[in-house]
Amino acid sequence: MNILSLIVVIYTPSFFLDYLRFWIHHSHQSVKESTRISNHCSNSQDNDSVEVEPRRQQLFHAIEEMFSGSPLLSHLVIKDKIFVNARDKSDPEMAKIKKNIIEQAIEQPTWGQELPKCFIPLELEFDSLLNRNIPLITMNHMMKINAAQPVRPLTDEELKVFLKFQHSVGRILYFDESGLDQHIILSPTHLIDAFKSIVTDRKFCEGDRLRQVSWELMSQKGVIAKKSVDDIWHKKKYKSFQTHKDYLLGVMTHLDILVEPRRYDMTHRRIPAEFYYVASMVRTDDSTGYLKSTNFVQRNIAIAFSSSSSMIPPALSFRFISYCLSIFAVKTYGQQNDEMLFHRSAVFNIDPSLDMCVNCDDEKIVVRLVHLNNRKLIMRDLASCIKECLAVALEKISQLYVKTSSTGSVIHEGSFNMSLCCSSPVDPCLLPMSDHQGQDGPWICPKHRIEHTKEMLSSWALQKTEITCGVECPVTDNEFLRQTPTDIHLRRLSMQYSIHETKELAIRLGMEYNTWERMYDTLGEEPERLNFEILHRCIESSSITFDDIKKAVEIGNIKNPHILCKVLRDKPIDFGR
């Protein structure tokens, strides 16, 4: 039943409105269109010492004003203007609250739906297990309980429906995911306690030196060693988590509370990490000066995601950054080579010449691709693929953790609006995607007067079929032509030429024939690798630029020089987890 009642204690109007706004946005983000949020204001003082009626009218008028014009207003139940004396448990307003909640529950589309009677014995078994302080069981245990039912055990399919239904109403936690579907948490507070033993407020670590040290490291660096988790859970107070340690940690990583970084050796084999990232615990802000680095405005392109409900809860920001942590390596920067993971922001390495900078606040998430030298060298298809990947991730994250009792999940399309973002790192201007479609020439942002070419803006919205050169083709751009190709550029370029064409190009670029012949004898059976190694050798031997390559192609009549466009726009890139 997707109904939430909020009972708010009032100290001052500003306190009330700030927290009410946060919780209503958070609740709506969690359960979306079906939620009905009932607002009941509470007065902590005696009714004799405050004028109740004027106060009631004032507060509820402030609520209506705050959400005026917002789609959230239709989800608020405020017509009864219930105002409770929090110190009087017999306050007659409490009866109105109960009546209000029952009325809203009856209006829910799920009210009155019949449930199978065979669910009842299993629910009673859950109660019995909880009474015996058994908060978590394995699927094998669950199947034995089911098989022992005297009337009719559920089939495997029915049992899964039962577990998913119990999860959807919040009675248990069951994750129908590979590696997590062999356990059932009967008491959700058991998982919360496991979380709290690692991720908590500093005041709850007082007197526990080990947890204090872990908290300090998490708050500064956003990491916790796996050994620290082991040491904490070996303490008598948390011993119960050790029995199902791998499962509980698996749930934490599934929910992106903990993130195991991806590390690879030179042969691209996964290297197990000795620590987890904990994005939600980082308290430090970015003081590195990265956003003020040389020519930053000329080196980045940006896109912004804003919530259709007008607010992005911090928890969603943390999950989004955690998602990025699970895919990309965190950038190190500065004299100390510190990792750039901060409170609601981070910088990641996409490749040696390209970073991805993520900044989250309550209104929007800004993602920037920052090139080492010049934004014109950012590969177009890479930008559009990153945008698609992050947009899908945000939609999935916005669904939170609850799936329906059916085999599918609840999907809410269009939770986020995308806008192109100006390249200023401070208070950037936004250009809605829909407005960009009708933009003929460059966009000059209104606050900073920075010119953004249509070619750069189109990087985020590149279609897979867009392979023709536009007006701002990089082959005609002097800034592009002055740059030295990176390994990724050379890799793409090497795939455009035959072995013979690469030989002609290399010789035009100054390679000796004998050098080419020796490389051919060694790598001739691997044409793509041979082409790449030849071009790489040319770049290593002298400071060759795109302009040098263009001239060599033209003089040698080696295909069309516009083939260079392919190094910036080619096959789609997959960023799957």
Side-chain angles (χ1 to χ4, degrees), residues 125-126 128-142 145 171-175 180-192 194-195 233 240-251:
E125 290 285 356
F126 286 173
S128 175
L129 289 167
L130 288 172
N131 287 336
R132 287 179 278 151
N133 293 320
I134 301 176
L136 188 156
I137 60 173
T138 65
M139 181 58 80
N140 285 337
H141 190 174
M142 181 74 246
I145 292 172
R171 178 162 185 166
I172 67 168
L173 292 175
Y174 171 69
F175 300 94
L180 301 179
D181 57 357
Q182 296 304 303
H183 291 79
I184 300 128
I185 299 175
L186 304 180
S187 173
T189 57
H190 182 70
L191 184 61
I192 294 170
F195 291 170
W233 283 3
S240 60
F241 305 135
Q242 270 292 339
T243 308
H244 302 286
K245 182 185 79 171
D246 291 341
Y247 167 71
L248 292 172
L249 291 175
V251 172

Side-chain angles (χ1 to χ4, degrees), residues 44-108:
S44 62
Q45 303 176 15
D46 294 333
N47 282 344
D48 293 339
S49 62
V50 67
E51 297 180 11
V52 174
E53 198 54 38
R55 181 76 162 160
R56 183 204 307 264
Q57 298 302 326
Q58 175 193 359
L59 288 171
F60 280 96
H61 177 70
I63 294 173
E64 290 187 41
E65 272 199 339
M66 181 168 57
F67 293 100
S68 177
S70 166
L72 289 176
L73 188 61
S74 63
H75 296 275
L76 305 184
V77 181
I78 55 178
K79 61 180 180 180
D80 293 331
K81 296 184 174 62
I82 300 173
F83 196 61
V84 180
N85 180 357
R87 293 189 171 184
D88 183 4
K89 61 183 180 182
S90 61
D91 188 336
E93 296 281 291
M94 286 300 298
K96 290 184 181 180
I97 290 180
K98 294 176 184 177
K99 179 174 177 290
N100 184 291
I101 292 175
I102 292 171
E103 287 175 351
Q104 295 303 320
I106 292 173
E107 290 180 9
Q108 297 300 299

Side-chain angles (χ1 to χ4, degrees), residues 23-39:
W23 282 112
I24 287 179
H25 279 286
H26 180 78
S27 303
H28 177 67
Q29 189 70 33
S30 301
V31 289
K32 301 293 180 182
E33 300 303 328
S34 58
T35 187
R36 298 289 288 166
I37 305 174
S38 183
N39 292 270

Side-chain angles (χ1 to χ4, degrees), residues 428-461:
C429 306
L430 301 182
L431 176 69
M433 278 287 195
S434 56
D435 293 354
H436 165 255
Q437 301 302 324
Q439 190 100 4
D440 292 329
W443 171 55
I444 300 176
C445 64
K447 293 181 202 167
H448 315 94
R449 308 306 297 171
I450 302 171
E451 181 176 306
H452 303 78
T453 67
K454 186 173 179 65
E455 184 79 8
M456 288 296 102
L457 296 175
S458 298
S459 299
W460 294 109

